[in-house]
Amino acid sequence: MHQSVAHQTGYLPGDPEYRKLSVALFAAGLATFALLYSTQPLLPELVTAFHVSPSQSAFSVSFATFGLGLALLVAGPASEALGRTNLMRWSVAATSVFALLSAFAPTWHTLLALRGLQGIAMAGLPAVAMAYLREEVHQDSHARASGLYIAGTAVGGMAGRLIAGGLSDVGGWRFATGGIAVVGVLCAAVVWLLLPASRNFHPAPARLFSSKVLRDPALLALYGIAATAVGAFVAVYNGAVFRLSGSPYLLSAGAAGLVFCVYLLGSAGSATAGALADRYGRRTVVPVGCLITLAGVAITLAGPLPLIVLGLAVMTAGFFAVHGVASGWVPARAHASGVGTGQASSMYLFSFYLGSSVFGGLAGTAWSRAQWTGVAAEAGALFIVTLILALLLKNVPSRVQN
C-alpha cells in the first residue's frame, strides 16, 4: 500500500526512498558544481603555467559552463523520451572521466577543449534534476526537495574550490584537477547505487523545443533571473581569486580557497529559502534574496579581509536563496502552464550557464580595467537587473503553486 501511495502522490520526507533520493541528488549536485568550477581557484596559476592573461584564464571556467549550457538544449528534451534516471547516472560518470583527462592536458587549447566536453557531459544531470523531483516527490515537498538539491550544488561549489586550492599548494594545478576528479568518481558511485528509478515518468516524443517555453512571461522572467544572478555571482568569485592573491593580501591558492567555506551559507540559504517559499510564497522570497546579494557586494568594497569574507558570505547566501527558489519555480510554473517541465528546466539552466559564461568571463576584463571596483560594479548592475525581474514577477498573473 505504501509503495502504491508513493507511486501516485510522490515520496514524502520520512519515506526510505525519499532519503535515498535526497542523498543521491545531493551527491550529484555536489559533483556537478565541484567539477564545473574546479579551475576557478586555479586561475592565477593557470596564467603562469600557460602564459595567458587573466581574462583568458577565465575561459577555463567559461568553456565548461558554455558547453553545459548548449548541451542542456538537447539533454532536457531528450529526457522526455529517454527517461530521467539513467541520463543523470551516466552524466555524472562521464563528467568524472573528462575531469581526469583534464589533469593531463598538454596545452592550453587541449585543456579548454576537455573543459568544454566536460560541460557537455554533465548536462544530463541539471537538465532533468528538477523535473525528476517534481515527478517523484510529493507536491507539498517540492520546494524543500529542490532546496536540498541546490544545497548539494552549494556544498559542491565550496568543496571543489576548497579542495582544488589546497591540492594546488601541494602539487600544482594538475594534481588539484585530478583530486577533484576523484571526488566526482565517488559521487557518481553514490548516484548509481542510491538514485531511485523513476515511478511517475511518462515518455513523450522528443522535440527540441516548444515555443510555449518562450511565451509565458513568468518563465521568461525566471530565465532572466538565472542569467543575471549567476553571471554576477561567478564574476565576483572570479575577481575575488585575483584580488586575494594580489597585494596586500598575497594569499596562496590554498589560503584563498578557504574563503569558499562561505558556500556553507549558500547551502543553508537555499534550504531555508525553500522552506520559506513553501510558507510565504516564491514571489516574496526571491526579491528578498536579491536584496541580500546586493548588500553582500556592497560589503566587499571594504578593504579589510574579514569584511571581504563577510560580504562574500552574505552574497552567497542571497544568491543560493534566489537560485534555489527560482529553479524549483520553473517546473512548477511550466506544469501549471501546460509546458514540458524538462524543456522549461533546460531553458532556465541554459540561461543560467550562458550567463555564467558571458558575465562571469567578463570579470577578467573588469578586473584588468578597474580592479575590484570594476568587478563589483559589474556584479551590482547584474543583481539590480535580477531584482527588477523578481519584482516584475509579482505583477504576472498567478497560476498553481506560484
Side-chain angles (χ1 to χ4, degrees):
M1 175 65 71
H2 177 76
Q3 293 289 350
S4 176
V5 172
H7 175 72
Q8 294 175 7
T9 64
Y11 299 117
L12 286 163
D15 293 338
E17 295 300 296
Y18 180 92
R19 287 192 291 270
K20 291 181 180 180
L21 179 151
S22 298
V23 172
L25 284 185
F26 186 90
L30 188 154
T32 297
F33 266 60
L35 294 169
L36 182 62
Y37 292 111
S38 60
T39 62
Q40 194 172 53
L42 309 177
L43 296 183
E45 186 171 345
L46 293 176
V47 167
T48 302
F50 291 102
H51 306 290
V52 295
S53 68
S55 59
Q56 289 175 313
S57 71
F59 290 161
S60 65
V61 178
S62 296
F63 267 57
T65 54
F66 186 68
L68 173 53
L70 286 178
L72 286 170
L73 295 176
V74 177
S79 74
E80 302 286 358
L82 301 176
R84 321 289 194 198
T85 309
N86 285 333
L87 188 60
M88 289 189 283
R89 288 172 176 167
W90 281 107
S91 174
V92 181
T95 300
S96 301
V97 171
F98 284 118
L100 284 170
L101 293 175
S102 296
F104 301 96
T107 67
W108 175 242
H109 291 99
T110 302
L111 176 63
L112 292 182
L114 287 170
R115 288 287 291 165
L117 290 172
Q118 188 176 328
I120 292 171
M122 68 176 60
L125 172 74
V128 301
M130 289 300 176
Y132 173 83
L133 286 172
R134 190 200 65 78
E135 291 164 355
E136 305 303 324
V137 175
H138 192 279
Q139 62 179 3
D140 291 343
S141 300
H142 281 172
R144 177 176 176 178
S146 298
L148 288 172
Y149 165 66
I150 298 300
T153 69
V155 173
M158 178 199 71
R161 293 163 167 96
L162 185 62
I163 295 172
L167 292 179
S168 176
D169 284 351
V170 174
W173 76 267
R174 295 185 187 277
F175 185 65
T177 302
I180 294 300
V182 172
V183 173
V185 170
L186 295 175
C187 289
V190 171
V191 173
W192 274 85
L193 291 172
L194 295 184
L195 187 66
S198 296
R199 291 175 177 268
N200 299 312
F201 169 73
H202 302 290
R207 293 189 296 260
L208 281 182
F209 269 101
S210 166
S211 60
K212 290 182 179 180
V213 299
L214 299 176
R215 291 178 186 173
D216 182 48
L219 289 175
L220 290 174
L222 289 166
Y223 304 153
I225 285 172
T228 54
V230 75
F233 180 74
V234 173
V236 166
Y237 275 105
N238 280 352
V241 172
F242 289 104
R243 185 184 189 188
L244 297 177
S245 65
S247 179
Y249 312 106
L250 300 175
L251 299 182
S252 68
L258 292 174
V259 173
F260 293 111
C261 287
V262 300
Y263 259 62
L264 290 174
L265 288 178
S267 180
S270 174
T272 301
L276 291 174
D278 281 339
R279 183 172 182 180
Y280 298 107
R282 297 178 174 101
R283 293 169 185 262
T284 299
V285 174
V286 173
V288 173
C290 294
L291 292 173
I292 293 173
T293 61
L294 284 167
V297 172
I299 295 171
T300 65
L301 290 170
L305 183 59
L307 286 180
I308 295 174
V309 175
L310 174 62
L312 291 174
V314 172
M315 183 206 67
T316 299
F319 165 74
F320 276 100
V322 171
H323 175 46
V325 175
S327 60
W329 192 345
V330 168
R333 176 77 184 193
H335 179 67
S337 303
V339 178
T341 56
Q343 292 190 16
S345 293
S346 292
M347 184 57 71
Y348 173 88
L349 289 171
F350 171 74
S351 303
F352 183 89
Y353 292 113
L354 182 64
S356 176
S357 301
V358 175
F359 298 126
L362 288 176
T365 302
W367 172 262
S368 298
R369 291 182 176 178
Q371 302 291 292
W372 186 251
T373 301
V375 175
E378 178 195 348
L382 288 169
F383 278 135
I384 288 173
V385 175
T386 307
L387 175 61
I388 292 171
L389 291 171
L391 293 174
L392 289 175
L393 278 170
K394 287 182 169 289
N395 298 320
V396 175
S398 180
R399 292 176 182 169
V400 178
Q401 294 187 342
N402 281 286

